[in-house]
Amino acid sequence: TGIGMFLMPSHERMERTVGGRKEIDICDGQKNMMISLVPAAKMALVLNLKSQPSTGPYGNTFLNLRKSIANARRSTNGNVERLGIETIDGRLAEGFRIRRSSSVLKIWADPKTSLPVRVERVALVGSDEVRTVMTDFHTNVELDESLFNLDVPAGYTVQTMEMDFYKSPIAYLVDTLKF
C-alpha cells in the first residue's frame, strides 16, 4: 500500500509499505536523479538516470497516465479496448484496457477532464505477476516542495548506482545483480 505525490513538471514521491517496511522513492525527472530511502534501516540508494529520454518513466508517471488516456481515446488499433462509461469509486469514468508487450493497463478517467479516476496494471516481471492499483486521485493539491528534496538524510548509508537508458536490457540486469 502507498501514496504517490506528483509535482509538475517532473517531481514524484512514492511512499509505500512493503512487507511491513516503509520505503520512500523521490524522483526529479529534470535532474535525472532518484533516491530510494528505507528509514528503518537508514539506507539510501541514489540513482543517476543517465540518458533518460524526456518521456522516460522516472518523474513522468502522472503525465504518462494522461498521455495514455489521450492516446487510448484516439486509438484505432487492437491494443486498446474501450470499456464504456461506468461509475467507478463514486465518479463517472470512461474506461480503457491497453495491452502492452508484458502488461495490461486498465485506466478509468473522467470523461470531461481526462484525469485518472482508477488505474489497474498487471505486469509480468520474470515469472511473477505484479499488480498495481491506483485510486483516490486528488489534483491541484498544495504540496510542500521539500517533500521532493533529493538530499539523503543525515546518518543514512548511501549506495550510488547509474542507469544508462541506452544500455541493453541485459546490461541493466548485470547492473542490478551487481547492486
Side-chain angles (χ1 to χ4, degrees):
T1 60
I3 185 171
M5 293 172 255
F6 309 98
L7 182 65
M8 296 302 284
S10 61
H11 296 77
E12 294 185 6
R13 179 183 179 103
M14 303 296 248
E15 298 177 5
R16 64 186 172 281
T17 303
V18 178
R21 183 174 79 172
K22 184 176 181 177
E23 298 177 0
I24 302 167
D25 292 333
I26 303 168
C27 182
D28 184 330
Q30 290 181 318
K31 291 183 179 177
N32 286 335
M33 283 190 64
M34 178 178 162
I35 62 170
S36 290
L37 304 171
V38 181
K42 293 204 173 259
M43 290 178 46
L45 171 63
V46 176
L47 287 169
N48 294 307
L49 307 169
K50 188 176 177 185
S51 307
Q52 175 182 234
S54 61
T55 59
Y58 297 99
N60 293 311
T61 300
F62 192 74
L63 180 62
N64 286 339
L65 281 175
R66 299 281 311 269
K67 285 181 180 178
S68 292
I69 293 164
N71 290 340
R73 280 199 173 123
R74 289 191 304 266
S75 179
T76 57
N77 71 34
N79 293 341
V80 176
E81 176 186 349
R82 293 178 180 274
L83 302 175
I85 294 186
E86 291 185 24
T87 300
I88 303 293
D89 300 331
R91 296 175 56 194
L92 200 60
E94 180 180 18
F96 303 94
R97 182 177 292 116
I98 304 165
R99 298 184 190 284
R100 296 185 175 146
S101 59
S102 62
S103 68
V104 176
L105 183 67
K106 192 186 306 184
I107 300 178
W108 294 93
D110 183 293
K112 293 179 183 157
T113 65
S114 294
L115 291 171
V117 172
R118 181 178 178 90
V119 177
E120 301 171 17
R121 181 174 179 256
V122 178
L124 287 176
V125 179
S127 62
D128 295 327
E129 186 176 88
V130 177
R131 294 178 177 273
T132 305
V133 178
M134 296 182 218
T135 62
D136 302 315
F137 287 89
H138 301 273
T139 57
N140 299 321
V141 175
E142 290 293 322
L143 295 172
D144 187 334
E145 288 191 34
S146 67
L147 290 168
F148 304 92
N149 186 335
L150 292 173
D151 296 332
V152 175
Y156 275 61
T157 302
V158 178
Q159 290 189 329
T160 303
M161 186 175 168
E162 188 171 275
M163 285 183 66
D164 188 340
F165 283 83
Y166 288 114
K167 283 185 178 180
S168 71
I170 289 294
Y172 287 124
L173 176 62
V174 170
D175 287 346
T176 303
L177 292 173
K178 284 180 187 175
F179 170 72

